[in-house]
Amino acid sequence: MSLIKSISGIRGTIGGRPSDGLSPLDVVKFTSAYAVWVTGKCSSSRPKVVVGRDARMSGAMVEQLVVATLQGMGVDVVNIGLATTPTTELAVTAEKADGGIIITASHNPKQWNALKLLNADGEFLNAEEGQTILATAAADDFSYAEVDKLGKVECKDYSDYHIQKVLDLKLVNVEAIRKAGFRVALDTINSVGGLILPKLLERLGVTTVTTLNAEPTGCFFHTPEPLPENLTQISQLMKSGEYDVAFVVDPDVDRLAIICENGDMFGEEYTIVSCADYVLRHTPGNTVSNLSSSRALADVTRSLGGKYEAAAVGEVNVVTKMKATQAVIGGEGNGGVIYPESHYGRDALVGIALFLSNLAISGKRPSELRASYPEYCISKNKIQLSEGVDVDGILSAMKQKYANERITDIDGVKIDFKDSWVHLRKSNTEPIIRIYAEAHTIQEADKLAEDIKAVINSL
C-alpha cells in the first residue's frame, strides 16, 4: 500500500489501514483540511467548491466521501461527476467557485486514486498553499459545521461547456477540419475521454471516428499511461491504413499522444511542439516547457522569432513561468498542452483541436508533419544509490564538473551541451537520481546517460 502526500494533493492505493493507503479516513482528513484553506480564502460566508472525477473503479466511493466531507465543513458543492481534469478546471471559473477537487490518479494503474486540489482560478495550488493544507491535515486542525450550516450540493454536467470553449478558440479552424474529412481513431482507456472526445470530434466536423476502450468502466484495457509500449492495440489498428490520425489520452484527459497514419508514434514530446508550431505561426510569442522536455520546442520557437524558457518540472511551475514570460503556449513533454487562450491547464481537447487545425491547414499527413520538426530522442534512466548517500552533494559535484557547459539548477541539475542535454533530479521518496538525456538519436541519448552514470559512480 502507498500514500503520497504532496503540495498538489494526496494520492495512494485503495485499501489497507489509514495512512498506509488512500483510505476513507485519509480522504476525509485531507478534504477537511482543504475545506479549511478554502474557507479562509473565501470572501463570502459560504464557500463553493467544484468536484469532478475520472472513471476509475474507486471514483464513485471517493466522490461520495469528498462531497459529504465538504458539506460537513459547511462548503457548498457543485458536483460535475464524470469529467476530465481540464473540464473541472474550467468549471471552477465558470461557477466563480473558491476552488475545486479533481478525483483522479491521472496515468496511474486502477488501484490508485488521488485528490488534486485547485484554487479559485481553476489552477493547481502553489507550494506554500499546499504546505498549509498538509500542515492542517497533520494537526487535525478543523471542526465541522452545525446542522443548520451544512453545505448544499448541486449536480451539473460541464462537458458541453468545455467543448464549446474549445470551438470558440480563434485558432481552432472548424471549417478547415470539416473540409479535410479526417478519419480518426481514439483510445480513451475506459475513462472519461470516451464520454467527451467523440462529441468534440463530431462538433469539429469529423464524421468518421472509431473509439477503442470507450466504456468508462475504470477497468483499464492496458496500462493507462500513453507510452508506446502500452499502445500496441491502436497502433496495429492504424497500420490498416483506414485512418488519418489517432489520438490517445490518459484517464483524466490532460495528456495527449498522437499516432501517425502509418502506425508510427508521433511522439508525446512532439504533441506540444506541433501545437506550438501552429499557434506561433498565427500569434508569434514566447513558449515554456519543463526542463525535462524536448529541445525541439525551443528550436521551433526560436525559428519563428519567439523566446523559449524552461521551468522546473511540475505543471504549476510551467504555468508560473508562462505567466511571467507572457507565453502564448506552453506545456510538458508528456503530451500536456497548456494554451492560455483557453485556460492555464493541460488540456487534451485543446491539443486535439489545435493539432487537427494544423493538419488541415498544412495539408500534410501526420508523418510528414512530424518529419518537418527537429529530430531528438530522450532516454529516461535512473541510478540507484546506497542509503545515506549525499545526493545533493553529488548534484553539486556534477554542477562543478560541467561548469563550462550551460547549467540550470532550478530543479536538480540540467547540463546543456551543443547537440544534447542531460537532466539530473533526485527522488524525494527513494535514494535514486533520475537521469534524462536527449540527443539527435536514441543511441546517442543512451550513451550520454551511461556516460553520466559512470561519472556519478566515480565521484
Side-chain angles (χ1 to χ4, degrees):
M1 295 296 159
S2 298
L3 184 67
I4 302 171
K5 307 165 189 176
S6 71
I7 59 170
S8 60
I10 175 174
R11 64 187 172 101
T13 50
I14 298 298
R17 297 182 60 80
S19 298
D20 287 342
L22 187 60
S23 73
L25 289 178
D26 292 301
V27 172
V28 170
K29 180 169 71 171
F30 282 92
T31 302
S32 300
Y34 175 74
V36 171
W37 178 82
V38 163
T39 302
K41 290 283 185 179
C42 177
S43 58
S44 64
S45 59
R46 175 84 77 173
K48 178 163 65 172
V49 169
V50 174
V51 175
R53 69 176 177 91
D54 71 14
R56 61 187 58 238
M57 296 164 66
S58 61
M61 177 195 72
V62 177
E63 175 192 281
Q64 292 176 59
L65 290 165
V66 167
V67 170
T69 301
L70 290 171
Q71 282 186 276
M73 291 293 292
V75 176
D76 287 341
V77 178
V78 178
N79 186 357
I80 66 172
L82 289 168
T84 76
T85 281
T87 304
T88 309
E89 292 168 348
L90 286 166
V92 170
T93 54
E95 288 287 335
K96 296 182 173 57
D98 300 289
I101 296 179
I102 308 169
I103 303 166
T104 174
S106 190
H107 61 270
N108 289 103
K110 66 179 182 180
Q111 66 267 31
W112 288 81
N113 214 328
L115 310 180
K116 293 188 176 182
L117 310 177
L118 304 174
N119 61 22
D121 294 322
E123 299 167 14
F124 291 113
L125 306 188
N126 62 34
E128 182 180 355
E129 293 165 335
Q131 289 293 355
T132 298
I133 291 169
L134 290 177
T136 301
D140 287 335
D141 190 14
F142 36 80
S143 60
Y144 297 96
E146 297 176 2
V147 68
D148 293 327
K149 295 182 179 180
L150 295 176
K152 296 178 172 55
V153 179
E154 184 177 8
C155 295
K156 293 186 177 182
D157 184 343
Y158 261 88
S159 57
D160 287 341
Y161 175 85
H162 187 179
I163 290 170
Q164 191 59 53
K165 289 281 286 186
V166 174
L167 296 174
D168 288 342
L169 293 171
K170 292 179 182 179
L171 292 188
V172 173
N173 196 323
V174 177
E175 182 180 357
I177 294 170
R178 182 178 292 112
K179 286 182 178 179
F182 291 126
R183 301 164 301 168
V184 176
L186 298 170
D187 182 351
T188 56
I189 193 55
N190 307 109
S191 192
V192 291
L195 300 174
I196 196 168
L197 294 188
K199 292 181 182 179
L200 170 70
L201 290 170
E202 180 182 1
R203 296 285 301 279
L204 286 170
V206 179
T207 56
T208 301
V209 179
T210 295
T211 306
L212 302 181
N213 310 314
E215 287 296 315
T217 61
C219 297
F220 304 137
F221 180 78
H222 56 76
T223 303
E225 187 165 13
L227 299 175
E229 57 266 30
N230 301 328
L231 305 181
T232 55
Q233 181 194 27
I234 193 165
S235 185
Q236 193 63 37
L237 176 66
M238 291 303 292
K239 290 176 182 177
S240 70
E242 297 177 7
Y243 300 92
D244 299 301
V245 66
F247 297 114
V248 183
V249 293
D250 59 344
D252 68 325
V253 200
D254 62 354
R255 290 172 60 177
L256 172 64
I258 302 166
I259 303 176
C260 299
E261 77 287 349
N262 57 7
D264 290 346
M265 297 292 155
F266 195 83
E268 253 196 329
E269 291 288 334
Y270 284 82
T271 298
I272 179 60
V273 174
S274 179
C275 291
D277 171 47
Y278 174 66
V279 168
L280 292 172
R281 289 181 187 278
H282 293 83
T283 53
N286 303 326
T287 66
V288 172
S289 64
N290 68 41
L291 285 170
S292 288
S293 297
S294 176
R295 188 182 282 184
L297 178 60
D299 290 353
V300 167
T301 301
R302 289 163 186 154
S303 73
L304 294 172
K307 182 180 179 182
Y308 166 83
E309 289 200 30
V313 173
E315 182 174 329
V316 66
N317 299 317
V318 174
V319 167
T320 300
K321 181 71 75 173
M322 288 179 68
K323 291 178 178 179
T325 60
Q326 297 182 312
V328 295
I329 191 169
E332 297 183 295
N334 61 8
V337 176
I338 302 173
Y339 187 43
E341 282 294 312
S342 175
H343 63 119
Y344 278 105
R346 297 183 301 179
D347 191 332
L349 279 75
V350 170
I352 287 171
L354 291 176
F355 184 86
L356 286 177
S357 298
N358 192 12
L359 206 61
I361 292 171
S362 71
K364 296 177 179 178
R365 293 179 296 179
S367 61
E368 294 170 333
L369 193 63
R370 173 64 177 81
S372 71
Y373 300 129
E375 180 64 33
Y376 291 102
C377 297
I378 292 182
S379 176
K380 298 182 179 182
N381 307 266
K382 62 184 178 182
I383 184 169
Q384 190 77 34
L385 304 170
S386 302
E387 290 285 351
V389 167
D390 182 5
V391 180
D392 289 326
I394 290 175
L395 295 179
S396 179
M398 294 296 288
K399 180 180 172 182
Q400 292 300 317
K401 183 173 182 62
Y402 292 95
N404 291 332
E405 308 295 342
R406 183 156 60 92
I407 301 291
T408 307
D409 60 0
I410 60 172
D411 182 7
V413 175
K414 183 174 183 179
I415 308 163
D416 271 288
F417 303 99
K418 180 181 177 182
D419 296 313
S420 60
W421 56 259
V422 63
H423 186 200
L424 310 175
R425 298 178 69 233
K426 71 174 182 178
S427 168
N428 292 323
T429 58
E430 51 186 328
I432 65 171
I433 295 177
R434 302 190 189 280
I435 303 173
Y436 285 16
E438 182 178 68
H440 289 299
T441 68
I442 191 62
Q443 293 81 9
E444 292 172 320
D446 286 341
K447 184 178 185 305
L448 175 57
E450 289 302 318
D451 290 345
I452 291 295
K453 283 184 184 179
V455 173
I456 291 174
N457 286 328
S458 70
L459 293 175

